[in-house]
Amino acid sequence: MSTPRILVMAGSARRESLARRLAAASLAPLADKGADVELIELADYPMPLYNGDLESESGLPAAAVALQHKLFDCQGLLVVSPEYNGSITPLLKNTLDWCSRPNPADAERSGGAVYAGRAAAVMATSPGPMGGVRVLFHLRDILGYLGLHVIPQQLGVGQAGKAIGADGRLADERQQGMFDGALGALVDTARRLA
Ligand SMILES: Cc1cc2nc3c(=O)[nH]c(=O)nc-3n(C[C@H](O)[C@H](O)[C@H](O)COP(=O)(O)O)c2cc1C
């Protein structure tokens, strides 16, 4: 069986981010299911707010090119986002937008090619009771538009501060089962698409 490479990213750079806590909790189960995993910290890929003039004058920021390379080399992507006013965070959208732009110096590995044909799963966290479920549909739509194959399984973890234990397991066993199921489906889909 092949070993798909899965990138995991949280849509928040906050130090105590709940989204990152769930993203980090996915690493061991993804590895157990046979994936080669890496947690991407968006803070390590700083990009200015997208502006077409910046792109015309200076091209892509180095961080966008570096992240494009990571994306190009993966077969699957897990995105865990907080919900900001019912949608994804500006940090996540800005990162996805910059990485969607073609880099003429790197024609093979840039633009749409970094996303298309790869598997993706979407998850959300919130300190509130709803688990950020509204962001899941926006995120699914955006990733689908970018050409990723977003698996049907998804998860919104509410009251995430309490729901995600220090051991990286979800306190609710049924929710942990859904988490495991979604991660397994992501690895299977990435493997089949590779
Ligand atoms: C601008 C803004 C909008 C927010 N909108 C929502 C929302 O629509 N739904 C929700 O559950 N929480 C909302 N929150 C609260 C976030 O879920 C909370 O700050 C969360 O901890 C941020 O994610 P993080 O912990 O991964 O950084 C909002 C927070 C901010 C700053």
Side-chain angles (χ1 to χ4, degrees):
M1 256 197 315
S2 66
T3 303
R5 183 157 174 73
I6 308 272
L7 294 189
V8 178
M9 63 174 74
S12 170
R14 197 170 70 85
R15 280 190 297 275
E16 299 297 322
S17 165
L18 297 169
R20 186 190 304 102
R21 217 191 287 179
L22 187 64
S26 75
L27 299 179
L30 284 170
D32 285 350
K33 292 169 201 316
D36 172 22
V37 277
E38 181 176 350
L39 179 63
I40 297 287
E41 287 287 349
L42 293 188
D44 293 339
Y45 296 88
M47 301 172 203
L49 189 59
Y50 180 83
N51 174 332
D53 291 339
L54 275 181
E55 185 185 0
S56 308
E57 288 155 17
S58 318
L60 270 62
V65 174
L67 190 51
Q68 283 186 334
H69 289 179
K70 294 268 182 196
L71 288 161
F72 189 82
D73 289 336
C74 82
Q75 287 80 47
L77 184 63
L78 169 62
V79 184
V80 184
S81 184
E83 181 179 82
Y84 275 11
N85 296 315
S87 190
I88 73 170
T89 61
L91 171 68
L92 182 56
K93 186 66 165 63
N94 192 52
T95 301
L96 293 171
D97 284 346
W98 268 117
C99 290
S100 75
R101 301 300 297 159
N103 176 8
D106 199 7
E108 258 198 14
R109 293 183 141 201
S110 67
V114 303
Y115 298 115
R118 288 161 178 78
V122 294
M123 296 187 185
T125 51
S126 171
M130 299 292 287
V133 289
R134 284 165 299 197
V135 75
L136 294 171
F137 298 96
H138 284 207
L139 186 52
R140 168 175 294 283
D141 227 26
I142 292 163
L143 297 184
Y145 181 85
L146 291 170
L148 288 142
H149 299 282
V150 187
I151 62 167
Q153 294 86 347
Q154 61 184 18
L155 191 66
V157 178
Q159 298 179 324
K162 280 186 270 174
I164 310 165
D167 58 355
R169 285 187 65 81
L170 292 160
D172 181 325
E173 276 308 316
R174 195 161 155 263
Q175 201 168 42
Q176 178 66 40
M178 290 169 70
F179 187 47
D180 281 333
L183 298 175
L186 175 62
V187 175
D188 286 348
T189 307
R191 197 174 267 137
R192 272 187 274 116
L193 289 172

